[in-house]
Amino acid sequence: MNTHQRQPEMPTLQVLPLVHMLLHEQHDAQRSEPLLQRLQLEGVLKNPPIVAPIPANGGGEAQQRYVVLDGANRVTVLRALGIAHIAAQVVDYEDPELVLDTWHHLIKGMEGQRLLDLLRALDCASLRQTDLMQARALLARRDIVAFVQTTQREVWVIECRGDLHACNNCLNEVVNAYKSEARIFRANTDHLDELLPLYDGATALIVFPRFAPVEVMELARVGACLPAGVTRHLIPRRALRINLPLEVLRSPQSLAEKNLWLVDWMKQKVAAKTARFYQESTFLFDE
């Protein structure tokens, strides 16, 4: 029996200008501020952002631009540090193994009634109470922008009329209404009962729709961002723990020189057997 296994394809790592990075989601201040302090203290970029080339739209763009699929906080922090380049993993957004999923927001530190009152005050949206099954159906058809479940077993749909950009603007207003008062945890299920044993004091769950890659690209092209912590990209062969020294990105070397250095650095990692591919599903407890 042939037990030979093929060597997995190496991730594509490149040093790219930060000015060519376009965010598709807002950065999260609850995450970016601690990240800024850690980068200043440690001086290394632990995990590279994930980016995908944005196809040319016929406008004669001179430079290739990239949409940041994951890593808005890292890009924002490096810009704040005045660093011109970033090491990123470049992926094909049409790769069938790349999955665009959704995060939902589990809320702590804010009573459910307070959350509903803030959402009712929004001009862009209206609230209507319903049951969970209908809310899920409405969200699947994109007839609503989100729905809320409370620990009192109430379900409220958030309705907004308009195109993708109008709904995105409303979605940002929805998240802005609670993000400064509440503590937000990202959840990958809309089953609130499964989450409550894991998060003491949780009061509500905001459930968001599933977006398509073409919508992410359309928003990024025009500088429009979804709220932080809504899209969830599952990346095949993701590069983690590269621990790249920031001094390399800060150096006055040209972009071409930095990329040659990166290629040689990757070869050394492979030769030293410090680069390892994990095929099995993994839990990390030090993120």
Side-chain angles (χ1 to χ4, degrees), residues 174-189:
V174 167
V175 176
N176 288 341
Y178 59 79
K179 72 177 185 180
S180 62
E181 292 188 33
R183 190 170 181 196
I184 301 170
F185 295 88
R186 299 178 185 184
N188 61 2
T189 178

Side-chain angles (χ1 to χ4, degrees), residues 24-142:
H24 83 276
E25 64 175 357
Q26 308 283 355
H27 79 279
D28 184 348
Q30 291 183 3
R31 292 169 175 247
S32 62
E33 291 175 7
L35 176 62
L36 175 61
Q37 297 174 9
R38 189 166 69 245
L39 284 176
Q40 289 177 318
L41 178 65
E42 298 175 355
V44 297
L45 177 65
K46 181 183 289 186
N47 299 323
I50 307 297
V51 304
I54 295 181
N57 60 6
E61 297 171 352
Q63 301 291 341
Q64 174 67 65
R65 298 187 301 166
Y66 300 84
V67 59
V68 180
L69 304 183
D70 185 89
N73 294 323
R74 279 158 281 173
V75 169
T76 300
V77 166
L78 287 184
R79 284 174 174 165
L81 291 173
I83 298 176
H85 297 137
I86 192 168
Q89 181 176 353
V90 183
V91 299
D92 178 3
Y93 212 172
E94 297 183 357
D95 183 343
E97 294 185 69
L98 192 156
V99 176
L100 172 53
D101 205 340
T102 306
W103 288 117
H104 310 305
H105 287 179
L106 186 70
I107 300 298
K108 289 182 63 174
M110 174 184 286
E111 292 298 326
Q113 190 56 54
R114 169 64 175 166
L115 172 64
L116 295 174
D117 288 343
L118 289 172
L119 296 179
R120 287 191 186 97
L122 296 176
D123 293 331
C124 71
S126 59
L127 262 63
R128 176 168 58 85
Q129 192 168 7
T130 185
D131 58 70
L132 182 57
M133 183 176 294
Q134 185 183 39
R136 286 171 171 163
L138 291 170
L139 193 67
R141 296 197 300 266
R142 300 289 284 276

